[in-house]
PDB file of all heavy atoms in Angstrom:
ATOM      1  N   ARG C 290      -9.856   6.462  -9.047  1.00 94.00           N
ATOM      2  CA  ARG C 290      -8.732   7.217  -8.481  1.00 94.00           C
ATOM      3  C   ARG C 290      -7.631   7.390  -9.513  1.00 94.00           C
ATOM      4  O   ARG C 290      -7.016   8.456  -9.602  1.00 94.00           O
ATOM      5  CB  ARG C 290      -8.181   6.497  -7.249  1.00 94.00           C
ATOM      6  CG  ARG C 290      -8.992   6.733  -6.014  1.00 94.00           C
ATOM      7  CD  ARG C 290      -8.197   6.369  -4.790  1.00 94.00           C
ATOM      8  NE  ARG C 290      -7.888   4.956  -4.762  1.00 94.00           N
ATOM      9  CZ  ARG C 290      -8.570   4.057  -4.084  1.00 94.00           C
ATOM     10  NH1 ARG C 290      -9.589   4.438  -3.350  1.00 94.00           N
ATOM     11  NH2 ARG C 290      -8.248   2.803  -4.103  1.00 94.00           N
ATOM     12  N   LEU C 345       4.165  -6.845 -20.605  1.00 88.00           N
ATOM     13  CA  LEU C 345       4.647  -6.656 -21.963  1.00 88.00           C
ATOM     14  C   LEU C 345       3.508  -6.490 -22.973  1.00 88.00           C
ATOM     15  O   LEU C 345       3.622  -5.741 -23.943  1.00 88.00           O
ATOM     16  CB  LEU C 345       5.522  -7.849 -22.360  1.00 88.00           C
ATOM     17  CG  LEU C 345       6.723  -8.040 -21.448  1.00 88.00           C
ATOM     18  CD1 LEU C 345       7.413  -9.348 -21.751  1.00 88.00           C
ATOM     19  CD2 LEU C 345       7.709  -6.890 -21.607  1.00 88.00           C
ATOM     20  N   PHE C 418      24.240  -9.245 -18.820  1.00 94.00           N
ATOM     21  CA  PHE C 418      23.300 -10.338 -19.042  1.00 94.00           C
ATOM     22  C   PHE C 418      24.033 -11.672 -19.260  1.00 94.00           C
ATOM     23  O   PHE C 418      23.394 -12.716 -19.316  1.00 94.00           O
ATOM     24  CB  PHE C 418      22.413  -9.997 -20.248  1.00 94.00           C
ATOM     25  CG  PHE C 418      21.343 -11.008 -20.517  1.00 94.00           C
ATOM     26  CD1 PHE C 418      20.378 -11.299 -19.550  1.00 94.00           C
ATOM     27  CD2 PHE C 418      21.272 -11.682 -21.722  1.00 94.00           C
ATOM     28  CE1 PHE C 418      19.382 -12.234 -19.782  1.00 94.00           C
ATOM     29  CE2 PHE C 418      20.279 -12.625 -21.957  1.00 94.00           C
ATOM     30  CZ  PHE C 418      19.333 -12.897 -20.987  1.00 94.00           C
ATOM     31  N   CYS C 429      32.059 -12.082 -23.515  1.00 93.00           N
ATOM     32  CA  CYS C 429      30.925 -11.380 -22.904  1.00 93.00           C
ATOM     33  C   CYS C 429      31.176 -11.066 -21.428  1.00 93.00           C
ATOM     34  O   CYS C 429      30.588 -10.158 -20.863  1.00 93.00           O
ATOM     35  CB  CYS C 429      29.654 -12.205 -23.038  1.00 93.00           C
ATOM     36  SG  CYS C 429      29.160 -12.443 -24.751  1.00 93.00           S
ATOM     37  N   ALA C 463      33.377  -2.529 -40.382  1.00 64.00           N
ATOM     38  CA  ALA C 463      33.248  -1.945 -41.715  1.00 64.00           C
ATOM     39  C   ALA C 463      34.549  -1.281 -42.097  1.00 64.00           C
ATOM     40  O   ALA C 463      35.209  -0.648 -41.264  1.00 64.00           O
ATOM     41  CB  ALA C 463      32.107  -0.933 -41.731  1.00 64.00           C
TER      42      ALA C 463
END
Side-chain angles (χ1 to χ4, degrees):
Chain C
R290 280 197 296 262
L345 301 171
F418 184 60
C429 296

